[in-house]
Amino acid sequence: MQTLFSHIRKYCQLSDESLHRLGSVLKPVELEKGSLLITEGKVCQHVYFLERGCLRGFYNVDGREITYWFAFENNFVTSLLSFVTRLPGMENIQLLEDCKLWAIAYDDLQTLYQTHTDINTLGRIMNERYYVMLEERFVSNHFREARDRYENLLARAPHILQRVPLGHVASYLGMTQETLSRIRAKS
Amino acid sequence: MQTLFSHIRKYCQLSDESLHRLGSVLKPVELEKGSLLITEGKVCQHVYFLERGCLRGFYNVDGREITYWFAFENNFVTSLLSFVTRLPGMENIQLLEDCKLWAIAYDDLQTLYQTHTDINTLGRIMNERYYVMLEERFVSNHFREARDRYENLLARAPHILQRVPLGHVASYLGMTQETLSRIRAKS
DNA sequence: CGTTAGTTTGAGAGGACTCAAAGTCTGTGG
DNA sequence: CCACAGACTTTGAGTCCTCTCAAACTAACG
């Protein structure tokens, strides 16, 4: 839990009282590689903090899995769309390694938002950061050539290639596994 | 300004005091079609509320303009990345019609966030909503065929096609203007 | 050492791109 | 009311990238 607290401290200062309250509603979760943390068709009830491991978010579009997000240590994870709208989401989140997480339930978080201003601020700041990251991803996906998208990823987040199966990365980059394999071969 | 207030009211209840304070820092802005509201290389200093008109956000990638966002009446507009990080952004925002906007400066907004809890909450909720919209866009862009992306747009936001030049829409959909024109011809 | 998951290689088809040119629409001034 | 300029859209032809389907290869693990 200290890992989470020191992660939070990077973005905003919480009072001891707020940290204590936050700590009291966090539940530890350990799951093994391959299992699904969040599945489509359900209302997402938790935000998770990923302390160890990595995972991917994916959609089923037209019979194929579209991976659009990876998370590694020290990141918050949820199906934000479903979590925020309280509607069933289309998103799946799958563990790519054995993971250690901390979960906070929707109702608990809303209560904290209302009772603790600094946690409300934390929520806003985290949201801003996630928006910004998604936007960066979005723009880099607009590179026309598959090769450019790959090289952009290589420059921006090479660690992804070291920990994630190629097929998922290819999907993340909007190309087939075969194309990505050929691009790498020619590097 | 009432337009803005009633827009806000849809998402969260602000106290009269908060509305009054918000109103006191808003500056009206009127600009004509074609002008740039935000340009790359600068730190974005404002969030705008678009009361009338429409505009687009675009990046210059590799010598060509990539339109990735449109905004119409009753939307907040900013270069969120630059606004949040306080770093120069790569984003441009251009008016596609004559527009009426309300501007709020960064410092004013931060002050309001600190002094008025309900405005902080509003900021968080707006961020959540914008994240969700971007994510939806992101996923719909993963449709493989250009035709599918077009039809998805047609189902989701047909008004865009009625108000925005085809070239921008094509860029928004990640295809050339010629391709989009041919797709429409075959519908 | 066999099984399975993951990656690479090959061949052929087709969609989207580029460059180029011809239409179409709209508003302005004569 | 017409003619024209400028912005926008469509059409054409040829090329190339990426896709699909298939099969072989490699690595990891029990």
Side-chain angles (χ1 to χ4, degrees):
Chain A
M1 205 181 285
Q2 286 309 316
T3 318
L4 168 54
F5 288 169
S6 62
H7 178 69
I8 289 174
R9 223 165 276 133
K10 285 183 213 153
Y11 303 110
C12 118
Q13 195 62 44
L14 293 192
S15 69
D16 288 345
E17 149 73 3
S18 292
L19 284 175
H20 180 258
R21 274 310 194 78
L22 187 59
S24 71
V25 294
L26 287 170
K27 303 270 185 298
V29 177
E30 301 216 25
L31 287 169
E32 61 184 21
K33 177 176 174 173
S35 50
L36 289 164
L37 186 63
I38 290 169
T39 52
E40 62 187 277
K42 296 182 186 164
V43 177
C44 179
Q45 301 294 353
H46 297 88
V47 170
Y48 299 91
F49 176 76
L50 179 54
E51 184 174 313
R52 181 170 40 73
C54 77
L55 38 77
R56 69 177 180 123
F58 70 94
Y59 281 77
N60 283 302
V61 174
D62 200 28
R64 65 186 67 205
E65 294 183 355
I66 307 287
T67 295
Y68 76 104
W69 201 64
F70 297 110
F72 301 90
E73 284 79 9
N74 292 325
N75 272 291
F76 289 100
V77 175
T78 189
S79 174
L80 195 58
L81 192 150
S82 171
F83 187 81
V84 165
T85 61
R86 312 310 294 150
L87 297 170
M90 296 303 296
E91 191 174 339
N92 302 277
I93 294 184
Q94 184 183 40
L95 278 58
L96 298 175
E97 300 175 357
D98 296 346
C99 290
K100 168 80 181 290
L101 305 112
W102 293 94
I104 182 167
Y106 180 85
D107 293 336
D108 289 335
L109 184 60
Q110 300 308 314
T111 303
L112 289 178
Y113 278 162
Q114 278 162 28
T115 54
H116 294 72
T117 307
D118 52 359
I119 293 180
N120 199 13
T121 301
L122 174 68
R124 178 175 54 75
I125 290 174
M126 285 298 149
N127 257 289
E128 288 170 354
R129 290 183 49 79
Y130 277 77
Y131 182 93
V132 164
M133 285 192 292
L134 184 59
E135 186 178 305
E136 283 174 342
R137 279 264 298 123
F138 191 79
V139 171
S140 74
N141 252 43
H142 267 85
F143 285 113
R144 292 196 320 304
E145 305 278 309
R147 162 161 236 102
D148 293 341
R149 296 199 295 277
Y150 170 70
E151 285 174 357
N152 185 259
L153 178 69
L154 212 51
R156 226 168 23 87
H159 60 281
I160 290 180
L161 284 151
Q162 287 152 19
R163 281 176 76 177
V164 172
L166 202 68
H168 295 332
V169 177
S171 164
Y172 177 83
L173 290 172
M175 65 186 79
T176 59
Q177 173 167 318
E178 293 92 328
T179 297
L180 179 53
S181 176
R182 277 184 258 264
I183 284 171
R184 293 208 305 176
K186 279 183 207 139
S187 290
Chain B
M1 204 181 285
Q2 287 309 315
T3 318
L4 168 54
F5 289 167
S6 63
H7 178 69
I8 289 173
R9 222 164 277 133
K10 284 182 214 154
Y11 303 111
C12 115
Q13 194 61 45
L14 293 193
S15 67
D16 288 345
E17 149 74 1
S18 293
L19 284 175
H20 180 258
R21 276 308 196 78
L22 187 60
S24 70
V25 294
L26 287 170
K27 305 268 183 302
V29 177
E30 302 217 24
L31 288 169
E32 62 183 21
K33 177 175 174 173
S35 50
L36 289 165
L37 185 63
I38 289 170
T39 52
E40 62 188 276
K42 295 182 187 166
V43 177
C44 178
Q45 301 294 353
H46 297 89
V47 170
Y48 299 90
F49 176 76
L50 178 55
E51 184 173 312
R52 180 170 41 73
C54 77
L55 38 76
R56 69 177 180 123
F58 69 94
Y59 281 77
N60 282 302
V61 174
D62 200 27
R64 64 186 66 208
E65 295 183 353
I66 307 287
T67 296
Y68 77 104
W69 200 64
F70 296 110
F72 300 90
E73 285 78 11
N74 293 325
N75 272 291
F76 290 101
V77 175
T78 190
S79 174
L80 195 58
L81 192 150
S82 171
F83 187 81
V84 165
T85 61
R86 311 311 294 148
L87 298 170
M90 295 303 296
E91 191 174 338
N92 302 277
I93 295 182
Q94 184 183 41
L95 308 206
L96 299 174
E97 300 175 356
D98 296 346
C99 289
K100 167 82 181 288
L101 305 112
W102 294 94
I104 180 167
Y106 180 84
D107 293 336
D108 289 336
L109 184 59
Q110 300 308 315
T111 303
L112 288 178
Y113 277 163
Q114 278 161 29
T115 54
H116 293 72
T117 306
D118 53 357
I119 293 181
N120 199 13
T121 300
L122 174 67
R124 179 174 54 74
I125 290 174
M126 284 299 149
N127 257 288
E128 289 170 354
R129 290 183 49 79
Y130 278 76
Y131 183 94
V132 164
M133 284 192 293
L134 184 59
E135 186 178 306
E136 284 173 342
R137 279 263 299 121
F138 192 81
V139 172
S140 74
N141 252 41
H142 267 86
F143 286 114
R144 293 195 321 305
E145 306 276 310
R147 163 161 233 103
D148 293 341
R149 297 200 294 277
Y150 170 70
E151 285 177 355
N152 185 259
L153 179 70
L154 213 52
R156 225 168 23 87
H159 60 281
I160 291 180
L161 284 150
Q162 288 152 20
R163 282 177 75 177
V164 173
L166 203 67
H168 296 331
V169 178
S171 164
Y172 177 83
L173 289 173
M175 65 186 80
T176 60
Q177 174 167 316
E178 292 92 328
T179 297
L180 179 53
S181 175
R182 277 184 256 265
I183 285 171
R184 293 208 306 178
K186 279 183 204 138
S187 290

